Amino acid sequence: MKEIAHDRVLVTGGAGFLGSHLCDRLIAEGCDVVCVDNYFTGTKRNIEHLFGHPRFELLRHDVTFPLYVEVDQIYNLACPASPVHYQHDPVQTTKTSVHGAINMLGLAKRVKARIFQASTSEVYGDPEVHPQPESYWGRVNPIGVRSCYDEGKRCAETLFFDYHRQHKLRIKVARIFNTYGPRMHPRDGRVVSNFIVQALQNQPITLYGDGLQTRSFCYVDDLIEGIVRLMKTGDAFTGPVNLGNATEFTVAELARLVLELTNSRSKIIHERLPADDPRQRKPDLTLAQSALDWSPKTPLVEGLTRTIAYFESQLSKAVEYRETLLAAAL
Ligand code: NAD
Ligand code: UDP
Ligand code: UDP
C-alpha cells in the first residue's frame, strides 16, 4: 500500500510551554514532527504523551549549533521566555536568539523550508504608543537587563527579513504577547504562574511595584491557532503580525482575580518593580484579524480556571511524590 506523505515539521523549543502545545496540534493535523530542545527551560514531561507516536521524534540539541535535518517547515520557538529565565544566562539568551536564528535560517535556505519565528511584544520595549501596532518601532533600552532578550529577538527579526530579501526565504514572523496556560513552568517567575502557584499554596502574592502596570493575557489554545493560521498564509505574507489578546488588565486586577478563582487565603504583598518593566502593553490586532481571520476567543476567567486546574494537579502530584520519598526513607 502506498504511504501517505505528511509534511515534515521541525519545532525548536518543542519541549517548552508553547512548543509542546504546538507539537500536539501539528501531530493532530497529521504532520511528521521533529521536536528539538536542550531542556534549558522545557521538560520531557510536556511531551511525554507523544513518545512512541509514529510521527513524533525528539532530538536533544542546542540551536546555537548547526542542525542538519530534512524538513518542509520550521517553527523556531527555542528561547527562554520568562524574565527570570532569560536573565539567568543573558549571553546564552542572545546567542540562542541570534545564532539560533542564523542556524535555522541556514537550514531553511538549504532545504527550502517555510520558517516561522516566535518574536515578541518585547520588541516594542516600554512603549509610548498604545495599543501597539506592527508599524511601531518600539522603545527598547539596548543595555538594560531585559536587552539580552529584547535585542536578541529584534536582531532575529532583522535576520529573518534579510534572509527573505537576500535569499527569498518564505518567512512568517509573529510578535507574541503575554500568553499563559497549562504547562507553564511553575517556577519561571512569570506573573500568571507565580500568582496561581502562590495562591494555591496560600503564600503571599508578590505584586511588583504599584501593580498598576498593564498586560493583556492570551490563552495558549488561541495563540496556537493564530500561529498555525499564520504558517498557512500565502508566501507574500511575512508579518510581522501581533498575536495575543487585546483585553488589558492591571497586574493588581489579575492578582485579585486569581485570589477569587482559587478561594485563596493569600495576602497581597508589594515587592520592588524589576528594571525596565514595561508600564503598559496591549496588542493592536487589526492585522491578525484581516490577514489571518483570527481573534482570540478565550476570556481570562475561563483560561485562568483551566490553568489553575493544571497547577492544582501538578502540586498534588508533587505532594504525593514527596510522601512516597518520605515513606521510602522511613
Ligand atoms: P519556554 O521557556 O517554556 O520554552 C522555550 C523552550 O526553548 C524550552 O523548552 C527551552 O528548553 C528551549 N530552549 C531554550 N534555549 C534553547 C536552545 N539554545 N536550544 C534548544 N532549545 C532551547 O517558553 P515559551 O513561553 O514556550 O516560549 C516559546 C517561544 O515563544 C520563545 O521563543 C519566546 O520568546 C516566545 N514568546 C513567548 C511568549 C509567552 O508569553 N509565552 C511571549 C512572547 C514570545
Ligand atoms: N546551517 C545549519 N543547517 C543547515 C544549513 C546551515 O545549521 O542545514 C547553519 C550553518 O551553521 C550556517 C548557518 O546555518 O553557518 C547559516 O547558513 P547560510 O547558508 O546562510 O550561511 P553560510 O553557510 O554561508 O555561513
Ligand atoms: N509581576 C508581578 N509579580 C510577579 C511576577 C510578575 O507583579 O510575581 C509583574 C511584572 O513586574 C510585570 C508583569 O507582572 O509587570 C508581567 O510579568 P511577566 O514576567 O509575566 O512578563 P513580562 O514582564 O515579560 O510581560
Side-chain angles (χ1 to χ4, degrees):
M1 202 167 72
K2 195 169 173 286
E3 274 210 28
I4 304 163
H6 306 288
D7 255 6
R8 297 159 304 173
V9 186
L10 170 64
V11 179
T12 76
F17 160 49
L18 296 180
S20 62
H21 286 279
L22 182 60
C23 287
D24 284 346
R25 170 65 186 261
L26 294 170
I27 289 285
E29 285 198 357
C31 302
D32 253 311
V33 174
V34 182
C35 168
V36 159
D37 210 293
N38 68 350
Y39 310 122
F40 177 49
T41 53
T43 159
K44 282 187 200 163
R45 281 193 300 282
N46 285 341
I47 39 165
E48 68 187 353
H49 55 283
L50 296 174
F51 293 175
H53 192 289
R55 284 185 280 104
F56 182 76
E57 214 175 324
L58 179 61
L59 279 181
R60 180 192 288 263
H61 176 80
D62 182 326
V63 294
T64 61
F65 296 100
L67 176 69
Y68 289 83
V69 289
E70 310 307 310
V71 290
D72 307 299
Q73 298 175 29
I74 302 169
Y75 287 89
N76 187 36
L77 275 73
C79 187
S82 93
V84 171
H85 283 160
Y86 68 66
Q87 288 168 27
H88 172 73
D89 186 350
V91 173
Q92 177 66 15
T93 298
T94 305
K95 281 186 189 168
T96 294
S97 274
V98 177
H99 291 181
I102 292 173
N103 287 328
M104 291 310 111
L105 287 161
L107 169 61
K109 186 179 126 197
R110 183 179 62 79
V111 300
K112 301 186 173 45
R114 212 177 318 153
I115 181 166
F116 164 91
Q117 168 66 359
S119 190
T120 168
S121 52
E122 285 286 319
V123 302
Y124 301 122
D126 190 5
E128 293 141 316
V129 171
H130 195 72
Q132 295 81 52
E134 292 82 355
S135 54
Y136 177 50
W137 291 354
R139 187 166 77 108
V140 174
N141 174 358
I143 57 166
V145 290
R146 293 175 85 102
S147 324
C148 58
Y149 183 74
D150 301 7
E151 295 292 17
K153 288 284 187 180
R154 284 169 69 98
C155 183
E157 284 201 12
T158 307
L159 285 160
F160 267 69
F161 279 85
D162 280 334
Y163 268 79
H164 171 66
R165 284 184 286 258
Q166 201 173 327
H167 300 300
K168 310 281 170 284
L169 244 64
R170 292 174 294 159
I171 60 161
K172 309 283 173 191
V173 176
R175 292 182 178 156
I176 302 169
F177 284 63
N178 298 63
T179 301
Y180 69 97
R183 301 191 198 148
M184 288 182 93
H185 194 293
R187 283 184 307 280
D188 73 2
R190 284 190 265 197
V191 69
V192 174
S193 43
N194 264 13
F195 285 1
I196 293 178
V197 171
Q198 290 162 346
L200 289 175
Q201 300 182 110
N202 293 310
Q203 287 170 356
I205 304 282
T206 52
L207 196 57
Y208 300 160
D210 57 13
L212 297 180
Q213 67 272 35
T214 69
R215 295 293 186 272
S216 312
F217 301 99
C218 182
Y219 187 64
V220 60
D221 291 358
D222 289 335
L223 185 87
I224 298 298
E225 178 65 33
I227 290 179
V228 169
R229 282 189 190 215
L230 170 57
M231 197 58 140
K232 288 179 180 162
T233 52
D235 291 350
F237 188 74
T238 58
V241 57
N242 289 337
L243 293 179
N245 191 308
T247 316
E248 191 179 6
F249 292 85
T250 67
V251 172
E253 283 170 335
L254 177 74
R256 284 193 289 274
L257 193 54
V258 169
L259 283 174
E260 196 182 305
L261 294 173
T262 51
N263 284 319
S264 173
R265 297 192 303 276
S266 296
K267 298 267 173 295
I268 293 178
I269 58 165
H270 287 265
E271 290 190 357
R272 193 180 53 82
L273 190 70
D276 295 335
D277 199 279
R279 196 71 206 143
Q280 52 182 2
R281 189 186 284 157
K282 164 178 157 155
D284 179 331
L285 295 176
T286 315
L287 179 60
Q289 265 151 12
S290 63
L292 313 178
D293 188 22
W294 172 91
S295 56
K297 301 275 178 282
T298 316
L300 186 60
V301 170
E302 194 181 319
L304 282 180
T305 305
R306 288 188 219 162
T307 313
I308 289 166
Y310 167 79
F311 279 115
E312 243 167 350
S313 77
Q314 294 298 301
L315 289 171
S316 63
K317 270 190 212 157
V319 170
E320 267 173 42
Y321 181 65
R322 265 200 301 273
E323 281 168 358
T324 315
L325 283 184
L326 208 62
L330 289 175

